[in-house]
Amino acid sequence: MGDGATLVNTRPTQTPTTASAPSRAPRQPPDAHEPPSRVFSPILIGRDAEFESAWTAVLRPPALIAVEGEAGVGKSRFVAEVTARAAEHDHRVLSGQAHPLREPFPLGPLIDAIRPLREEIAGLPLTPVTGALRPLLPELADLLPEPADRPPDRASERHQMFRAVVEILAGLGPSVLVLEDMHWADETTWEFLRYLPIHHPEQLSVMLIFRREDLADGAMSIASGGRRPVEHIRLNPLNAEEVRELVAAILQTETVTIEFASYLHERTAGLPFVIEEALSLLQQRRDVVRHGNRWARKELDELDVPTGVQEAVHERLARVREGARKVVEAAAVLDSPSPQDVLQAVSGLTTSSLPAALSEALDTALLHDRGGGVYGLRHALATQSVYRTISSPERRALHERAARALEQQHAPLPVAQLAHHFRRAGDTAGWLRYAEEAADRALSVGEDAVAATFLEQMLGSDGLPAADRERIALKLGTAALHGLTHNKAIALLNAVVDDDRMSTTTKGDLRLSLGMLLYQAGDAVEGREQIKRSVVELEAAPALQARAMKNLATPWVLEGDEDEHLMWLDRARQLSATLDDEALTASVAGDRAAILISIGDRHGYDLVERVGSTGSNAISRNWVSTLSNLALGAVWTGHYERATEFVDEGLGVSEELGYTRLMGPLQSTALLIEWLTSRWEGIDERVRDLARVTADIPHASLATDLVTGSLSLARGDFATSEASYQAAAAASAETGSIPPLVAAAAGRARIRLAEGDKAGAADIAEEALRLVATKKIWVWAAEGIEVAVAALCADRRPEDAARWLTAFERGVATRDSPTAIAGLTAAKGHLAEASGDWDGAIATYLRASSLFGEFARAYDKALMLEAAGRCKASTSDATAEPVAVEQLLEALKIFEYLGATGDAARVRRLVRSLGMKLPRPWRGGRQGYGNELSPREREVARLAARGRTNQEIADELFLSPWTVANHVRKTLTKLNLKSRRDLSSVDLS
């Protein structure tokens, strides 16, 4: 193919546009003898729908917009277009960026975004809480008030910083906060984003830009929305037609041939950055030429367009002079935007030769001016590509120069970068020195996950002196507990915990951390064994020993039985009483109350009143943990009102402290309460919302799986139900949570019974009962005893059913558990039915129905009414059928109200079999209202318009505060209002 093959078609067409892109002035045509000098498109290509979604969200603050895509896909350009439009509409645009070699510096991207706002901050009426930012913003310290009293611990200090950032952002008016490269963000920034939903300034839109493949699991739930609506935008590579439009826009031509576009698409994977790099190279090589009024190219086989950006960058780098190449290589080694003096030191250029080298590197677009005398490579792909061109010996030399140059900077030294460069330079001593300093700094500001990374690298190094291993291991044991992954830390601690050169107490300390890590990683058996061994080794450290005993006392594990847990609990209580440690004493007392409640001991509720819940911040945080455990214990024994009180108080204290770690588990417990007490209105949406925020928290995510399984079963969707129950059972086994495991087994047994597999149902139910029998905490079988007896009777094993029922009745006889009593009564009904005692069965089922109704379990009440009606219809009494139908229709009404369509269909079939006429399906409470307010939403909105808080509305309407918050949020969306204050101006009659 010769010059006859053309790059462009000569048919005149419109210049490609995007409906949503900001308008731009038309560009002048390029010189007839030169290819265009720019290598970027003047308009946004292929992102119309995504732009519209992002822009719509910006117009409806408060908003969270998550923009994800692989490297080179055009995330930064997309965000630049959105923020340009926002600026045209008088929105302030703030921008911060995370970096791969981040320092242990909290809120890095946010501080970068706030730092340039000197003039704006000077005009804000700031409260003393913003003084907490003085250490992070020394440039603005003269504008910030004197800080309030120094917080007592790191958690309180972080909470004060969060409040300060929110106050400043709220004072800026309509704003868009862009946080780029969030896959590199520090943990405190992510923690702030967990805090933000409750405190989101009403005129602020936040855009998170990240690469999913590099995003930590713990952050994904936030980037996916967490507890609030999110506009999630994924930018995909361009298709061949969009590549054609992009090339046409860059070259300012009428159109581009499909032949060339397809060729370029194939070799660039449709990544805009790679396409621009390839076109830039082609222009430099004169592989694109102009004839008359159109662009043409040489033969396709001669073009040799690079298959990726690496080849393009390499060839462009080879075309510059040595000085420019050295500057570019220095920037690649530094891997962070760097000032001119540091680039000079690393490149080895003289002061006189540096300006020309910088200019050439900038002219060829290899280097990018970040402003303020700071330079860096344009893109992570370019950085990696340049770095790979440098030989290993030269890399080491450049890293050593980088380390020496950074050591000359003013305090605080960039210790994380220094550790990185000394390590790459092969200077083990320098690396270890700065890595430990970086870990210490990270621990001091609450960046435990960052600290764990440095400490893992150190402990895994052959260069770490033996004398230092004990110290580093102890730090790792502390830091890793709050990290996102534990496997590497577990392996490293396992390798050193039995080192005979360490003291016995140090071994015990490490072993306690190792055991807790194993628990978190799902290996509760080995974790428990390590903690038991640590008790012996911690004889000389009673406070640590008491904590180890406290961990062994928790019953929420598969190992151990009730007697053993109570023994460890008593030992921990006695030992803590001899120590002057207020926080430890409060923690042990709280655990004691929670454990007693969870096993059905009424005395636990009396102890709650005596547990210390105020004092130091450590005590308050322990109280949140205690409240979470109290709530779970109350849920699984059937005390739902007390459980709701514990959840609400836990969420309130968490919000007050800024302690977000347990908010997901607390919300999961609230979801369990709503499911068990048949408050199913809007529950599917709440399950979806909570599933996003608890996806990486097994203790919390099992609740969403369990509720999904139960709702699907009630609706007759057995496939979804089975899968969800299986997931809940797996998470329960991993976390050692037996009550939800029993509930999941009961659900799976119900599916087997519905499918006619009686033996399979009995096997599943019995397996769960055997687990409870080993644990000796019989109240935990309350959710499974009824279906177990039903399955065994259906499988013609009434003797086994009676044996399990007797064991259960003895086990709960002295326990305080409404669920156990109701479950026991229901199970007795099945046994009577199996023996043909219809009257006894009917009376027992009706008694069970009444018991379930007393503590708001309407769904279970309906199941018992159905069972009573079924038995009544089986009697020989001539008057039985009308009574049976009455009971069945009452059950049907409840099932239809709840949306339990599968159960409702079963009851309808039974009523038809009795020859009775059925009423039309009742739709009350399940109506879809579209953009109109539902009756419940209107009721909540009226109270909110009067200034009532969520808690006050919840108390009045017998809802949870979380449910109220969902109703308010949906109401504001439907009415297109910005805040609940605007409700007072709307007619809600």
Side-chain angles (χ1 to χ4, degrees), residues 296-427:
R297 54 142 182 88
K298 297 180 179 178
E299 292 187 25
L300 287 175
D301 292 340
E302 295 177 3
L303 270 176
D304 191 23
V305 178
T307 59
V309 68
Q310 186 160 331
E311 289 82 357
V313 171
H314 289 184
E315 188 162 347
R316 290 172 66 193
L317 189 62
R319 291 171 178 269
V320 300
R321 286 174 291 189
E322 184 180 10
R325 179 181 57 79
K326 286 185 175 181
V327 169
V328 172
E329 289 176 348
V333 167
L334 286 164
D335 199 14
S336 292
S338 303
Q340 185 171 319
D341 60 333
V342 174
L343 278 175
Q344 179 183 338
V346 178
S347 66
L349 295 174
T350 64
T351 304
S352 59
S353 61
L354 181 65
L358 274 175
S359 296
E360 184 178 357
L362 290 169
D363 288 342
T364 56
L366 286 167
L367 199 67
H368 182 62
D369 188 344
R370 301 298 180 91
V374 173
Y375 304 90
L377 294 189
R378 180 184 171 199
H379 195 279
L381 288 175
T383 301
Q384 296 165 11
S385 299
V386 173
Y387 190 81
R388 290 169 186 164
T389 67
I390 308 171
S391 67
S392 295
E394 184 62 19
R395 284 182 193 173
R396 287 193 293 272
L398 288 171
H399 279 295
E400 183 174 1
R401 288 186 208 162
R404 301 305 176 193
L406 293 174
E407 276 188 316
Q408 305 305 312
Q409 292 195 326
H410 297 298
L413 288 176
V415 289
Q417 295 180 58
L418 284 165
H420 167 77
H421 291 302
F422 274 117
R423 189 181 191 193
R424 292 295 180 92
D427 186 337

Side-chain angles (χ1 to χ4, degrees), residues 636 738-739 741-747 749-750 761 764-766 768-769 772 778-792 804 808 819-820 823-824 827 830 857:
W636 294 119
I738 295 178
L741 192 153
V742 171
R750 288 189 191 280
I764 292 171
E766 266 200 308
L769 290 182
V772 174
W778 281 101
V779 291
W780 288 1
E783 298 296 337
I785 189 63
E786 179 249 325
V787 71
V789 170
L792 287 165
W804 281 114
F808 178 77
T819 307
L824 173 65
H830 284 292
R857 291 185 58 157

Side-chain angles (χ1 to χ4, degrees), residues 60 216 260 363 458 488 617 627 654 781 783 858 925:
R60 294 179 179 175
F260 182 78
D363 288 342
M458 296 175 69
K488 187 173 182 180
N617 195 265
L627 286 165
S654 294
E783 298 296 337

Side-chain angles (χ1 to χ4, degrees), residues 689-747:
D689 288 346
L690 190 59
R692 286 195 292 265
V693 76
T694 61
D696 56 330
I697 311 173
H699 287 82
S701 62
L702 69 85
T704 57
D705 290 324
L706 187 58
V707 173
T708 299
S710 301
L711 294 172
S712 300
L713 175 57
R715 294 162 184 168
D717 181 358
F718 292 166
T720 300
S721 181
E722 176 71 24
S724 299
Y725 278 138
Q726 289 274 23
S732 298
E734 178 182 342
T735 60
S737 301
I738 295 178
L741 192 153
V742 171

Side-chain angles (χ1 to χ4, degrees), residues 147 197 208 244 256 265 275 312 347 525 649 702 766 829 919 936 951:
L208 306 180
R244 187 182 65 80
V256 175
H265 176 261
I275 294 167
S347 66
V525 176
E649 184 176 355
L702 69 85
E766 266 200 308
R936 178 65 87 184
Q951 184 63 63

